[in-house]
């Protein structure tokens, strides 16, 4: 039987409309389509997975679906900023001789600055000759080829505390750090980053465990800037430090500052929902939001969504996780 052309055309329009509606509801905007995926945006972090000690094995790329469009846009903006190369320079302007019981050694003051603009957030640390020596031995284990032409100032049997030897070593260590930082895989390595940050972090966490929150916060606030600069390609790596700052502010009854740093930490975990800090951080933020009179429904939804997808496991509190960091 011949079909009525008018009815056929009507049915085709209806079918086309039914196909168009779901497409429009799920189609991404042009801006969203231009957002790179996680693998591309942080490709700089994956160039040498064998040598780069900063990879986060718990990254969950599939969790993008639980984020709103605004959260995704903010996340990728942050990722792009984090993955840009930041050039640092190292200065060693002064030294001091330390005498402790039967030992005597020289402490070298290292100032770390960001190039390209006036850096008001310079980082200042102190290291001794034996610290540099340990770093050199560790790097030789993993980067023997890269370290072939890197010279290290040798110890002398006498004269280690003369002004001439100290000044020579100041210049030598400055060139040494500059050269190490110029090599991509070394500057991203955990061993190099630990040399520049771990002593201060260990001291800070020791203070935190001892209830000295003001002192811990003072040290953490100093080291977080340097840690962020050194780990631009792996923003998740600073989450423990940010959360330790949250714990300090919370215990010092500074909920506004605690919530501010918690938001920074959560932004870095928005596609890493399997990270051990994710749920404790959400729970802490909900408590802080309630205390501050903020809307916490979105945070609660994230928490409930995670619980429905995961099997019941023991979850430590944010403070319990923090006090476990850097425990030998």
């Amino acid at each position: 039987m011949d079909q009525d052309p008018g009815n056929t055309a009507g049915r085709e329009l209806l079918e086309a409309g039914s196909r168009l509606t779901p497409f429009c509801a799920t189609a991404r905007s042009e801006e969203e389509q231009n957002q790179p995926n996680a693998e591309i945006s942080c490709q700089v972090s994956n160039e040498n997975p064998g040598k780069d000690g900063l990879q986060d094995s718990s990254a969950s790329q599939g969790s993008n679906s639980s984020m709103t469009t605004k959260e995704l846009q903010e996340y990728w903006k942050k990722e792009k900023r984090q993955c840009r190369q930041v050039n640092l320079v190292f200065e060693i302007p002064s030294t001091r001789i330390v005498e402790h019981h039967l030992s005597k050694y020289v402490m070298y003051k290292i100032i770390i600055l960001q190039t390209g603009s006036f850096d008001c957030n310079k980082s200042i640390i102190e290291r001794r000759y034996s610290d540099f020596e340990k770093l050199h031995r560790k790097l030789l284990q993993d980067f023997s080829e890269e370290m072939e032409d890197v010279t290290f100032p040798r110890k002398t049997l006498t004269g280690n505390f003369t002004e001439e030897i100290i000044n020579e070593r100041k210049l030598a260590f400055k060139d040494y750090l500059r050269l190490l930082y110029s090599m991509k895989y070394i500057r991203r390595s955990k061993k190099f980053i630990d040399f520049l940050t771990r002593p201060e972090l260990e001291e800070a966490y020791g203070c935190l465990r001892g209830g000295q929150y003001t002192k811990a916060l003072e040290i953490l606030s100093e080291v977080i800037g340097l840690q962020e600069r050194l780990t631009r390609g792996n923003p998740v790596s600073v989450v423990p430090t940010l959360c330790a700052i949250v714990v300090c502010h919370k215990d010092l009854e500074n909920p506004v500052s605690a919530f501010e740093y918690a938001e920074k930490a959560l932004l870095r975990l928005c596609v890493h929902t399997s990270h051990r800090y994710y749920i404790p951080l959400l729970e802490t933020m909900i408590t802080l939001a309630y205390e501050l009179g903020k809307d916490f429904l979105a945070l609660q939804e994230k928490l409930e969504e995670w619980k429905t997808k995961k099997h019941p496991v023991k979850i430590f509190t944010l403070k319990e996780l923090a006090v476990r960091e850097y425990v030998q």
Side-chain angles (χ1 to χ4, degrees), residues 107-119:
M107 293 293 288
Y108 296 86
K109 181 180 180 180
I110 306 169
I111 298 179
I112 306 168
L113 300 161
Q114 182 175 329
T115 61
S117 61
F118 176 73
D119 190 358

Side-chain angles (χ1 to χ4, degrees), residues 19-45:
R19 290 193 299 270
L20 182 62
T21 301
F23 175 80
C24 293
T26 58
R28 296 185 300 169
S29 67
E30 181 179 350
E31 181 179 357
E32 288 176 281
Q33 290 173 348
N34 290 331
Q35 298 292 351
N37 59 36
E39 182 180 355
I40 294 174
S41 73
C42 278
Q43 188 175 7
V44 65
S45 299

Side-chain angles (χ1 to χ4, degrees), residues 119-168:
D119 190 358
C120 60
N121 296 317
K122 62 185 179 183
S123 300
I124 302 174
I125 59 176
E126 283 189 318
R127 298 292 183 267
R128 53 189 291 189
Y129 181 95
S130 60
D131 295 325
F132 282 96
E133 194 174 35
K134 289 176 186 175
L135 170 67
H136 192 70
R137 286 200 304 267
K138 290 178 180 178
L139 291 179
L140 283 173
Q141 294 173 359
D142 295 341
F143 306 100
S144 56
E145 291 184 14
E146 290 87 344
M147 299 285 288
E148 278 182 349
D149 299 323
V150 178
T151 58
F152 187 83
R154 295 182 178 180
K155 276 186 177 180
T156 58
L157 295 176
T158 60
N160 286 309
F161 301 101
T162 64
E163 185 176 352
E164 180 182 2
I165 293 295
I166 291 175
N167 285 334
E168 284 180 4

